[in-house]
Amino acid sequence: MDKIVRVLLCFAFFGVSLAHAEQYPSKVITIVVPFSAGGPTDTSARLLGQTMGAALKTQMIVENVAGAGGTIAAAKVAGSPPDGYTVFFHHIGFSTAPSLYRKLPYDTIKDFEPIGLIGDVAMTLVARKDFPAKDLKELITYVKANKEKVNLANAGLGAASHLCGMLFMSAIQTEFTTIPYKGTGPAMNDLLGGQVDFMCDQTSNTISQIKAGKVKVYGVTTKTRVSALPDVPTLQEAGLPGFEVSVWQGLYVPKATPKAVIDTLVKALQTALADPALRKRFDELGTEAASKENATPEALRKHLKSEIDKWAPIIKKAGVYAD
Ligand code: ASP
C-alpha cells in the first residue's frame, strides 16, 4: 500500500475513534440496580440517574436485576459490553459478597472499572407497628425470649439489610429466622402488612414510614444521629455500644471501558453530586453525598478493597456462607 494512503487511513481511523469517543453518550444509558424496584438502592439510583443524565444530556434508565444478594446483577454487568452504556450501582454488599459466597460468577476487582463513590446511607432498625417492644432494650429482651418465633426481613445474603441483621444477631448473641426478599422495597410492604416482624434497612427506605408512624423505630446504625431523624437515637446510645454500619454506594462500569468514557462518567457523577437539589433529597433520605475527592475511580477502588478486607474476618467469624 502506498505510504500516503496508509497515513491517510491512519488519520481516518483515529479521526473516527476520536469522534466516537467525543460523541459519548449518544444514546440511553442503563443503570443496573441489583435489587427490586421501590427499594432504597433503586430510589438512590433513580435520583442519581436523573441528575447525571441531565449532566450527560442523555437519559439514564434503571434496570432492576434482583436476586442472590446482588450477585446476579454484578455477573450481568461484568459480561456487558464495555461501552459506557451499562453502568452498575451497587453498595457495601459488593464488598461482602466475596466473603459470603464460596463461588462468585465474576471477579469483584478484575471485572469492573470503578467510577466513584456516590454516598453513604445510615440504616435504621424498624419493626411492624404492633410489635411488642417499645425501645431497643425491650426489643433485645423480646427477641432473646422469642427467638423461635421472631423473624427479620432482608434482601438476601449479601444485602446491606442482611449484613446489619447479622451484626445485630452477633451483638445480642441470639440467632433467629431471617426471611430473604429480592429487595427491601417488597420487604417493607410485608413489614407494613405485618407479615414480618422487623428489619434493618437504609434510612432512605424507612424514613417516610417512620415519619408517618407506620413502623416502630429503635435506632440508627451510625455513630451520630441522622439529621433528618433528630429524635431517633443511635443504636450505640440506645444500648448496643460499638454497633456501627452504614451503606456506602459506588458506581462501576465493565472492565475495558475506554478511559475517555470513564472520564466523562466521573465528571457527570461529580456534577450530579454537587447539585443542590440532589443533595437536599439525599439529605432528606438520610444519605450523605460523596465529596468530589471521593467521587473518583481511585477513591472507590481503594475503598472497595479496604471494605473487602474489613468484612472478610467478621463474616468468617459469623460463619455465614452461600454456595
Ligand atoms: N436495602 C436493600 C439491602 O438490604 C437493597 C434494596 O432493596 O435496595 O441491601
Side-chain angles (χ1 to χ4, degrees), residues 35-36 39-42 91 123 155 159-162 182-185 201-202:
F35 299 103
S36 326
T41 315
D42 180 72
H91 62 32
M123 302 186 87
S161 46
H162 166 261
K182 286 190 168 175
T184 46
D201 194 27
Q202 280 108 301

Side-chain angles (χ1 to χ4, degrees), residues 127-273:
R128 60 181 159 81
K129 202 179 164 188
D130 54 355
F131 197 67
K134 70 172 183 327
D135 56 26
L136 183 69
K137 290 220 165 86
E138 281 191 21
L139 176 75
I140 296 171
T141 310
Y142 185 86
V143 170
K144 280 177 177 267
N146 295 278
K147 58 179 186 236
E148 276 83 29
K149 77 173 202 228
V150 293
N151 53 51
L152 172 122
N154 66 31
L157 204 70
S161 46
H162 166 261
L163 178 66
C164 185
M166 198 178 82
L167 294 174
F168 183 66
M169 276 188 200
S170 144
I172 68 167
Q173 291 176 2
T174 307
E175 283 192 18
F176 44 83
T177 306
T178 57
I179 303 186
Y181 290 79
K182 286 190 168 175
T184 46
M188 176 58 87
N189 289 340
D190 274 8
L191 194 75
L192 293 172
Q195 282 93 17
V196 281
D197 292 326
F198 67 122
M199 170 163 84
C200 180
D201 194 27
Q202 280 108 301
T203 304
S204 39
N205 197 31
T206 59
I207 196 160
S208 54
Q209 313 301 348
I210 293 170
K211 287 194 163 170
K214 290 187 179 164
V215 292
K216 275 197 174 133
V217 58
Y218 300 105
V220 294
T221 60
T222 38
K223 214 183 202 156
T224 53
R225 290 191 183 200
V226 170
S227 60
L229 288 173
D231 300 332
V232 176
T234 66
L235 290 178
Q236 300 202 12
E237 281 174 70
L240 285 180
F243 194 102
E244 196 187 345
V245 61
S246 65
V247 183
W248 60 269
Q249 305 157 319
L251 198 66
Y252 310 82
V253 285
K255 71 152 189 265
T257 299
K259 167 103 173 44
V261 170
I262 292 178
D263 290 347
T264 304
L265 287 169
V266 172
K267 215 167 144 223
L269 174 65
Q270 292 175 346
T271 306
L273 293 176

Side-chain angles (χ1 to χ4, degrees), residues 59-96:
Q59 213 193 336
M60 290 183 94
I61 56 160
V62 165
E63 184 186 354
N64 301 90
V65 183
T71 58
I72 296 174
K76 182 179 169 147
V77 174
S80 296
D83 56 8
Y85 291 101
T86 304
V87 300
F88 188 32
F89 187 118
H90 203 349
H91 62 32
I92 188 170
F94 201 36
S95 69
T96 55

